[in-house]
Amino acid sequence: MDLGSLWSGLGWPLVRLLAFVSLGLFVANVIEALNWTRAMSRLAQPLIRMGHMKDITGASFSMAFFSGVAANSMLAEHYDQGNLTRKELVLANLFNSLPTYFLHLPTVFFITLPFIGSAAVIYVGLTVASAVVRTAATILLGRILLPPLPEGCVICRLEEDRARSWKSAMRKAWRRFKKRIWKIATTTVPIYIAVYIAKNLGLFDMLEGFMAEYVKGLSFLPPAAMSIVVFHVAAEFTAGLAAAGSLMQAGSLTVNQIVVALLVGNIISSPMRAFRHQFPYYAGIFKPRLALRLMVYNQLLRVISLIIVGAAFILVTGP
């Protein structure tokens, strides 16, 4: 392997990842140092009250609309300080799935639209609905698993509002940043390299090939739709879209069949891709074992919500 391909395949993606993680972490620290977390938590106050969740969960939820890394860094910081229990951390991380999805929504929609036209509106709408289902399920789980908050205590664990200059806030944020970024980098880099090596050894291709072979058992899909699922699993999302667009133009599949095939491909392929792309930086923010647990819970809830939404779509519109 030459240096050029090593840089483009490993060096540059790793540099870019660490840059985004560093930026997100620093932004989270600045927001906390300026005591803006109080105002941010108030935006999500009705939802976190329903779910018996704490102040920092609301602040993290609001932050996740702008940066998933910053939101997770905020949660990790408070978990390390003992302000969140393991159960509260898991629920807070799941609670962020809706705003985190909205971060990528414009990209997903404008990539999907040219390939499948009007079907893109239905497909993206269903994935948004699944994100709403995940948020509602998290609130319900919080209401069941967590004790009610004391009256007026939604923001009681955050620092009291008090004036702080930008200079002092930046000093405090920089101190926190330096302490945490070293731990994140020393964990993220070796894991990212290990994932890169596994990918180049063909381990992920073997797993995706097995999954592509397995999806042939999905008998409820028409034969033509299977190519969409196989391309979605064995290649990338855009490959599945290209296959869907071609079949739609040829009149081989209806809009509903295209949408269902894309949902099935999404359900089967996402967990592996999430591990490959998200685990390195998750393991840098949280401890590796905890990071893996959070990702498993996230993907499990994601798959269940997509199945629920997809099943409802089939029941309403027909196969």
Side-chain angles (χ1 to χ4, degrees):
M1 183 179 296
D2 58 69
L3 289 176
S5 58
L6 188 63
W7 168 252
S8 61
L10 177 63
W12 171 242
L14 186 55
V15 169
R16 186 175 56 186
L17 173 66
L18 288 174
F20 279 115
V21 169
S22 299
L23 179 62
L25 178 62
F26 187 71
V27 168
N29 287 334
V30 169
I31 287 172
E32 287 198 83
L34 289 168
N35 293 321
W36 289 354
T37 44
R38 270 183 168 265
M40 294 173 69
S41 67
R42 287 192 180 103
L43 296 176
Q45 185 169 329
L47 295 178
I48 61 177
R49 271 200 176 280
M50 283 191 288
H52 296 170
M53 290 180 276
K54 289 181 181 174
D55 43 32
I56 191 61
T57 302
S60 174
F61 179 83
S62 302
M63 172 59 74
F65 281 101
F66 306 98
S67 170
V69 173
N72 280 323
S73 300
M74 193 179 290
L75 292 177
E77 187 82 25
H78 280 263
Y79 176 70
D80 290 344
Q81 293 171 2
N83 296 334
L84 292 172
T85 65
R86 176 74 60 84
K87 191 182 296 182
E88 288 168 336
L89 174 66
V90 170
L91 289 171
N93 183 256
L94 292 175
F95 191 54
N96 287 344
S97 63
L98 179 65
T100 302
Y101 179 80
F102 270 92
L103 268 177
H104 306 291
L105 181 60
T107 302
V108 171
F109 180 71
F110 286 109
I111 287 176
T112 307
L113 186 63
F115 284 101
I116 56 175
S118 60
V121 177
I122 301 173
Y123 172 74
V124 173
L126 290 174
T127 59
V128 171
S130 73
V132 173
V133 167
R134 292 195 292 276
T135 300
T138 305
I139 292 172
L140 180 60
L141 285 171
R143 196 165 186 86
I144 294 170
L145 298 175
L146 300 177
L149 292 174
E151 188 62 31
C153 198
V154 171
I155 56 174
C156 63
R157 297 299 296 268
L158 295 178
E159 295 181 31
E160 291 295 329
D161 283 322
R162 57 178 180 270
R164 175 174 280 145
S165 69
W166 273 93
K167 188 175 181 180
S168 63
M170 287 296 177
R171 279 200 303 267
K172 182 177 180 179
W174 181 246
R175 284 197 306 269
R176 288 182 174 179
F177 173 80
K178 286 190 298 183
K179 180 180 178 180
R180 193 158 187 86
I181 192 59
W182 175 249
K183 176 179 177 292
I184 290 176
T186 53
T187 306
T188 299
V189 171
I191 291 176
Y192 195 96
I193 292 172
V195 171
Y196 174 80
I197 292 171
K199 180 178 181 297
N200 278 272
L201 289 174
L203 297 181
F204 290 114
D205 291 337
M206 288 170 56
L207 286 170
E208 287 172 351
F210 171 78
M211 292 165 69
E213 183 70 23
Y214 176 74
V215 299
K216 291 180 181 177
L218 298 172
S219 57
F220 66 90
L221 287 173
M226 291 307 305
S227 63
I228 299 174
V229 179
V230 170
F231 275 115
H232 205 317
V233 174
E236 289 293 335
F237 178 51
T238 50
L241 288 175
S246 176
L247 290 167
M248 179 178 278
Q249 289 297 320
S252 302
L253 294 173
T254 65
V255 168
N256 286 0
Q257 289 170 334
I258 292 284
V259 169
V260 172
L262 287 171
L263 284 175
V264 171
N266 192 337
I267 289 167
I268 296 173
S269 64
S270 288
M272 182 58 63
R273 288 186 186 148
F275 177 80
R276 190 167 64 193
H277 297 298
Q278 294 178 8
F279 182 66
Y281 91 79
Y282 249 67
I285 296 173
F286 305 100
K287 292 179 180 178
R289 183 179 297 179
L290 178 58
L292 184 59
R293 180 178 294 184
L294 290 173
M295 289 193 63
V296 168
Y297 290 147
N298 263 289
Q299 290 304 309
L300 184 61
L301 184 59
R302 186 177 186 279
V303 166
I304 291 171
S305 66
L306 284 170
I307 290 173
I308 291 171
V309 168
F313 176 71
I314 292 173
L315 285 173
V316 171
T317 64

